[in-house]
Amino acid sequence: MHNIFERQYYKFTSFLSNIGKKIPNNLITASFVVLPSLLYLIRSWQYIRVPQLYAEDGSVWLANAYNSGAKSILAPYAGFAHTSERIFAYLVSMLPLQIAPILFNMAGFGLFILMCYYLFSFRTKIFTNNYQKIFMALSLGLLANFNEFFFNFSNSIFLLGIVGLSIYLITPSKYRLVNLIEKLLFILACLTLPFAWFYLLIIGFEWFWRKKYNLFFLISSVIGSIIQVLVHLFSAYSRPNIPLTTITSSRYTVIEIYNQIVTPAFRHARIDISPTIPDKHFFVLLIFCSLLALTSIIILIKDASSKIKYLAIFLLLFTGASLIGALAGGNFSPTDALKFMSTATYGNRYFFYGILFMTIVIAIATDTYIKKKAKYLFLIMFMIFGVFTALQYNSLRVNKNFYNYSSIYKRDVTILNQSRAHTLIQIPENPGNTWFINLSTKK
């Protein structure tokens, strides 16, 4: 019986390892895109079944575009240019407002699919074999601490940063139209959030040290970086920045990284450690996180391809920026802001990059150091463990605790369309009772 099981398991692993030799590359890529996308849908179907606008989607992007027209495209928000969101919202505002929620939701889902395509495409060659791709596809589909992304365009725009970097790393297409679209996407990424700053560091390294010259990407990232710096300097918005000395010396930094990044990557769930744990327990946690960080760096330097290294650098840079630019505002001191964010259940869009980094490290480490016959057994056990943990801690099914405003939205949009000029319609929006979509009837 043991020998029969071993033979069947060997056939199964050989099939997974050799899959693709007789299957077209496009079909293989599609399968790796469909897998996480399907899990994404299953975990959060209710948000596509009852589409609703969320936070900035309605109150900022759509409202500004509808009320101000094309000039809203140049308006900064939260200290950055958000060109991608502004252009999309302007296009949506020219269509019937009744369909705006489903368009924003599907755009968010589309960004997730697009990111998956570029991560698994044979043109990018970021992951070098089927084991790494299957591991990453399943992990992306089961990812915890990721609730803010599901069918929300404003948060899913963070995925555009990975798309932009992948376009820089990708082998040019044989089709001119595809290359043109990808260059336009890269420009949009450079004009959205601080992505251009991190692109510039990577492109600059390749330009000066590896003598890899690409004028289009260099100019785009330079222009994008300058625009974002100017917007950031002259914007009225000011998010509290935590000094590096506090980041590197506070115990809450370690707890924040463990709760928000490490545990979700290893267990597909949020299982928070209290910021007030005893010193002896914190010391053990510090040793563990330090060894994990050192091991991760060694694995990436020794075993990762150059493209994975660039992706890892990008993910780490954004994670570091997120730790410095705390979401906690008000009267929080830098230390209190770190303490608050160590167990905060919102703002998980900022930790996605760290979780993805950790997941990549696990995929490469297990691919390199587990024997070929045992790799897929580990993968199966790891994912089963993650699913059971997610079920135990209610992380598998996405629950945003939304109030269903869909009927109110439809009613108020109908009123807006029938009202006289200069009438203001205020529509409630998730999350909570603090977000509203303020729309003015047009002349």
Side-chain angles (χ1 to χ4, degrees):
M1 181 65 70
H2 179 268
N3 290 335
I4 293 174
F5 173 79
E6 187 175 357
R7 285 199 299 271
Q8 293 303 318
Y9 174 75
Y10 179 75
K11 288 181 180 178
F12 173 69
T13 56
S14 297
F15 168 76
L16 291 176
S17 299
N18 296 325
I19 192 172
K21 290 183 178 179
K22 298 181 180 180
I23 302 175
N25 289 345
N26 289 339
L27 188 59
I28 298 173
T29 299
S31 65
F32 287 122
V33 173
V34 168
L35 178 58
S37 301
L38 184 61
L39 290 170
Y40 189 103
L41 279 170
I42 293 171
R43 294 177 62 194
S44 57
W45 174 250
Q46 68 270 28
Y47 299 107
I48 196 66
R49 183 176 60 84
V50 184
Q52 298 187 75
L53 295 170
Y54 176 83
E56 288 91 351
D57 280 359
S59 67
V60 179
W61 316 133
L62 181 62
N64 289 173
Y66 187 84
N67 296 331
S68 303
K71 65 181 181 181
S72 66
I73 294 174
L74 300 178
Y77 178 74
F80 290 102
H82 289 260
T83 309
S84 301
E85 299 98 308
R86 295 293 191 183
I87 291 176
F88 178 76
Y90 175 67
L91 295 174
V92 172
S93 71
M94 294 189 291
L95 301 172
L97 289 179
Q98 295 285 8
I99 64 172
I102 187 65
L103 292 178
F104 271 90
N105 286 14
M106 292 311 298
F109 185 38
L111 283 168
F112 178 79
I113 294 173
L114 194 64
M115 179 197 68
C116 290
Y117 165 74
Y118 280 109
L119 285 178
F120 299 122
S121 173
F122 278 85
R123 291 174 57 216
T124 49
K125 297 180 181 177
I126 290 177
F127 300 109
T128 56
N129 58 51
N130 287 327
Y131 172 84
Q132 292 181 8
K133 291 181 179 180
I134 294 172
F135 189 100
M136 291 304 302
L138 287 170
S139 295
L140 281 171
L142 298 172
L143 209 61
N145 206 27
F146 189 60
N147 287 10
E148 287 184 341
F149 286 83
F150 288 86
F151 298 111
N152 172 228
F153 181 67
S154 294
N155 292 326
S156 294
I157 204 69
F158 279 64
L159 305 178
L160 183 62
I162 297 171
V163 171
L165 178 66
S166 301
I167 289 171
Y168 169 69
L169 298 174
I170 206 165
T171 302
S173 171
K174 61 182 179 181
Y175 302 107
R176 290 185 179 181
L177 180 60
V178 172
N179 290 326
L180 176 62
I181 292 172
E182 288 179 339
K183 287 182 177 180
L184 290 174
L185 280 173
F186 185 82
I187 292 171
L188 284 175
C190 288
L191 298 175
T192 303
L193 289 168
F195 302 137
W197 299 346
F198 308 136
Y199 296 156
L200 185 58
L201 290 174
I202 293 171
I203 294 170
F205 172 81
E206 289 227 302
W207 185 282
F208 290 105
W209 275 271
R210 298 193 64 188
K211 308 301 180 184
K212 183 179 178 181
Y213 306 120
N214 194 310
L215 199 58
F216 167 78
F217 290 108
L218 180 65
I219 292 174
S220 298
S221 59
V222 167
I223 293 175
S225 297
I226 293 172
I227 290 173
Q228 293 293 9
V229 166
L230 293 175
V231 171
H232 200 66
L233 289 176
F234 295 102
S235 174
Y237 177 85
S238 177
R239 175 177 289 171
N241 288 328
I242 301 175
L244 276 174
T245 52
T246 306
I247 291 286
T248 55
S249 63
S250 175
R251 75 190 328 245
Y252 302 127
T253 303
V254 178
I255 296 171
E256 180 179 356
I257 291 172
Y258 182 81
N259 286 343
Q260 302 279 14
I261 295 173
V262 176
T263 303
F266 279 91
R267 301 193 65 178
H268 298 145
R270 275 289 299 275
I271 312 170
D272 288 352
I273 288 178
S274 171
T276 58
I277 59 172
D279 288 343
K280 61 180 181 180
H281 294 161
F282 172 74
F283 180 72
V284 174
L285 182 66
L286 177 62
I287 295 297
F288 170 76
C289 289
S290 300
L291 290 174
L292 182 62
L294 179 61
T295 304
S296 299
I297 292 171
I298 292 172
I299 288 170
L300 287 172
I301 292 174
K302 184 174 178 292
D303 303 310
S305 65
S306 60
K307 291 187 177 181
I308 289 182
K309 288 175 184 175
Y310 289 138
L311 177 58
I313 290 170
F314 176 80
L315 298 174
L316 285 178
L317 287 171
F318 201 98
T319 301
S322 301
L323 292 173
I324 293 172
L327 286 173
N331 297 319
F332 280 101
S333 68
T335 300
D336 288 338
L338 278 175
K339 181 179 180 181
F340 176 80
M341 289 307 300
S342 67
T343 55
T345 55
Y346 78 103
N348 49 62
R349 60 192 179 277
Y350 290 97
F351 301 108
F352 165 73
Y353 290 91
I355 298 170
L356 184 58
F357 168 84
M358 202 69 255
T359 304
I360 289 171
V361 170
I362 299 170
I364 295 172
T366 55
D367 180 40
T368 305
Y369 297 103
I370 295 180
K371 291 183 178 180
K372 184 177 180 180
K373 291 184 179 180
K375 279 194 297 189
Y376 286 98
L377 180 61
F378 168 83
L379 185 150
I380 293 168
M381 298 304 296
F382 184 83
M383 295 304 164
I384 291 175
F385 175 69
V387 169
F388 275 102
T389 307
L391 288 170
Q392 180 183 1
Y393 289 91
N394 300 315
S395 297
L396 188 62
R397 180 179 178 272
V398 175
N399 183 11
K400 298 184 180 182
N401 297 311
F402 275 4
Y403 180 83
N404 190 351
Y405 288 115
S406 57
S407 59
I408 298 174
Y409 177 85
K410 292 176 182 177
R411 181 200 67 194
D412 288 355
V413 166
T414 301
I415 294 172
L416 178 75
N417 292 332
Q418 296 173 350
S419 299
R420 296 180 179 179
H422 306 298
T423 301
L424 177 65
I425 301 295
Q426 189 175 72
I427 307 172
E429 183 190 29
N430 284 297
N433 298 314
T434 58
W435 291 84
F436 296 91
I437 309 168
N438 295 305
L439 301 174
S440 298
T441 52
K442 299 181 179 180
K443 296 180 181 180

